[in-house]
Amino acid sequence: MAAATTSSSLLGSSRIGSRLNISGLHSDSLNPTSISFSSNLSALSLKSSGSKGQLYSRGKGSVVITQSMDRVEVDISLSPRVNSVKPSKTVAITDQATALVQAGVPVIRLAAGEPDFDTPAPIAEAGKNAIREGHTRYTPNAGTMELRLAICHKLKEENGLLYTPDQIVVSNGAKQSIVQAVLAVCSPGDEVLIPAPYWVSYPEMARMADATPVILPTSISEDFLLDPKLLESKLSEKSRLLILCSPSNPTGSVYPRKLLEEIAEIVARHPRLLVISDEIYEHIIYAPATHTSFASLPGMWDRTLTVNGFSKAFAMTGWRLGYIAGPKHFVSACNKLQSQFTSGASSISQKAAVAALGLGYAGGEAVAKMVKAFRERRDFLVRSFGEIDGVKISEPRGAFYLFIDLSSYYGVVVDGFGTISNSESLCRYLLDRAQVALVPG
């Protein structure tokens, strides 16, 4: 990305051998070597057709042969697809912080995109009831009809989007929904356009599909919002997907409707171009900002795959449940992939999700209470970082992240640590010296 920045969540040698019992082995199995031995034989070396071995006694008339072949080097090469994918920095930092905590170090973990609230009680109770009532078997691959109908109702009432259950696929998290969508529509050589700063997984998902990520830089002065003119300049016959995330991970930026309409006009001029609209943070939004679903814009329903889920707004990260909605042709392809990847999502989580959608518009009071706390934390941190020299920040309008420009500190030499040269070394420094886990950007 153009500016090196830091994002944080507000929350808190090989050997081949065989062992054979030869009590029932025919003599010609050992051909060309013939052997004889007494019952008190302890060991006998033998040579046979390029192999070496020893015979050991195991009781009367029973012998085990341990046979050692010539050493063979194992081919440890990996698929080019795997080699092209980078590991998640978010997961790496989170795992390192977890290891420190387990070692007794009191780390403040602000790396994973995870609310620090418990799942609301009605949702948790629905999960418990699902177990008690025996809802513990496989569900339909695309999700239970009960949940898909509830999702259709939610999308109609809250987003102005009309879908039928066969246009919905429930997955093990929104992350799975997105990667299946990318795999379903991208061919090798296609391009996936991604505004930066971006969630670290988007480019790697494109690479897994043998597509090429095309990064569209944005600026902090424009609240990290995509410039439609830049988008248009980067489109080509290879352009297949545009990924939009609003509210944004990691910037917290929210796309106003007017800007989305300008982007939609550009998308409409390119027949191959589809849009993945990642709306997982839609309910974590701070007035006066409002959320607009991209598929609700004129002409965009046929081109848009809307991804959402339950992890963020409902504090259900561990329940692992998300979904995708879109034209049946594309969603059926996602369903086909899922049938070979994981099959249906957890039956218990799906029962809990029905309860989540039953809490009321935008999650009702349970979600509103969490959003209020997120806003108070945002206000405190924006004010506090604003008092530190050399820090640049764009006030987030949604989600629960701050994407902070600390590049003015690059080049500083710290005794006992070394030079802080980029966001990664800055994050290592803060983890080592302050026991605060952040994500490099």
Side-chain angles (χ1 to χ4, degrees), residues 116-129:
D116 62 339
F117 297 98
D118 291 332
T119 302
I123 302 174
E125 194 61 33
K128 295 176 186 177
N129 289 337

Side-chain angles (χ1 to χ4, degrees), residues 122-123 126 146-147 150-151 153-154 158 283 310 314 316 350-367:
I123 302 174
E146 179 187 32
L147 178 54
I151 290 170
H153 178 76
K154 176 259 187 255
E158 297 182 0
H283 292 326
F310 301 86
F314 297 103
M316 293 176 66
Q350 291 185 66
K351 279 289 185 180
V354 172
L357 295 179
L359 290 177
Y361 189 92
E365 182 60 30
V367 172

